Amino acid sequence: MVKAKPIKVKVTSSKEYEQIKKDLKQYLQHIVNKEFEESMDYMPSEFFDIFPRSQMLLVMENALNIPDVEMNFKNPRIESIEKSVKIKRKYYSFITYSTVTSIKMLDDFSDETLDEKTFRINLIKLSLEKGFGSNNVAYKSRTDSFEIKTSKNAYAISKNGKSNWKFLVLEEEQKIVLEKILPKDLHSKI
């Protein structure tokens, strides 16, 4: 027997929508503020059964606190929140959000020539464009920094469908882990 796929209906207004939106904004604000420990309170506990919370905290801190690089997150924006579906004993809502990441190299480039600066900027920009797409990367000459717009898909997950929403970001490189946490009906969106 084939199980039906979740209905793809956008919620325009409801208590459920407002609660998901509120919880997602809080989760994203913790990330913007680099409050990684607090942001993990918005992740499903099943994720930590696979990756211990203490190790995830180290990974996040190491990835985002690179020496000689200033990295900041800004402009978190909720793009869409779909109507939740109940599968087994949990509710799942497919969501899309975006953020802008600002990256600035902190090295002293005061003695570099114009050609060296052009080479450095183009090399970094090409590398970022390869990972994020050319339309999502911009160089800001005034601040000698790069801005990267990222759009993420995730599932909001709740036991009661009304409150305490947790967020599981859908990353292709984590597909094996995500398939262990999410019901099979939701695997097609990973």
Side-chain angles (χ1 to χ4, degrees):
M1 175 156 73
V2 178
K3 292 186 178 180
K5 298 285 183 200
I7 301 169
K8 298 178 183 179
V9 177
K10 299 229 181 193
V11 177
T12 54
S13 64
S14 72
K15 289 180 185 177
E16 171 191 76
Y17 171 85
E18 291 303 320
Q19 189 61 49
I20 292 172
K21 185 175 163 184
K22 178 182 172 195
D23 289 350
L24 180 57
K25 281 184 176 183
Q26 189 62 48
Y27 168 67
L28 294 174
Q29 194 59 52
H30 284 307
I31 292 172
V32 166
N33 295 340
K34 295 184 179 179
E35 299 166 346
F36 306 125
E37 181 75 36
E38 293 84 350
S39 74
M40 286 193 242
D41 291 340
Y42 291 86
M43 296 173 70
S45 60
E46 297 88 348
F47 186 82
F48 300 118
D49 293 341
I50 299 167
F51 296 109
R53 188 178 174 119
S54 63
Q55 294 304 303
M56 280 307 301
L57 181 59
L58 283 174
V59 167
M60 290 175 80
E61 287 174 345
N62 290 336
L64 301 172
N65 290 319
I66 303 167
D68 300 324
V69 175
E70 180 181 291
M71 191 178 303
N72 294 300
F73 303 97
K74 56 186 180 180
N75 304 334
R77 184 172 165 221
I78 299 169
E79 305 287 339
S80 67
I81 300 173
E82 292 184 4
K83 182 173 179 62
S84 69
V85 293
K86 185 176 183 182
I87 301 174
K88 296 186 181 173
R89 293 182 303 250
K90 292 185 181 177
Y91 293 81
Y92 298 86
S93 177
F94 185 77
I95 60 174
T96 302
Y97 67 91
S98 62
T99 58
V100 174
T101 305
S102 174
I103 298 176
K104 180 177 176 67
M105 305 301 167
L106 299 176
D107 288 341
D108 181 16
F109 297 111
S110 60
D111 62 344
E112 75 182 345
T113 67
L114 182 58
D115 283 347
E116 290 170 334
K117 181 176 182 175
T118 301
F119 179 75
R120 173 180 58 85
I121 291 167
N122 287 335
L123 188 64
I124 294 169
K125 189 172 184 202
L126 286 171
S127 176
L128 293 171
E129 286 175 345
K130 183 179 179 186
F132 299 100
S134 58
N135 293 338
N136 297 318
V137 177
Y139 173 70
K140 304 295 182 183
S141 59
R142 187 177 57 78
T143 57
D144 193 25
S145 64
F146 296 88
E147 285 193 353
I148 305 162
K149 181 181 180 199
T150 55
S151 183
K152 301 278 187 180
N153 294 324
Y155 272 105
I157 305 167
S158 172
K159 290 181 180 177
N160 63 16
K162 297 176 184 173
S163 62
N164 200 26
W165 290 91
K166 307 294 182 183
F167 303 97
L168 189 60
V169 179
L170 306 179
E171 301 281 359
E172 179 67 32
E173 59 272 7
Q174 293 182 355
K175 186 173 183 167
I176 294 170
V177 173
L178 296 169
E179 286 176 344
K180 290 182 180 194
I181 298 171
L182 293 170
K184 287 184 182 182
D185 292 351
L186 305 178
H187 289 184
S188 65
K189 290 194 177 184
I190 299 175

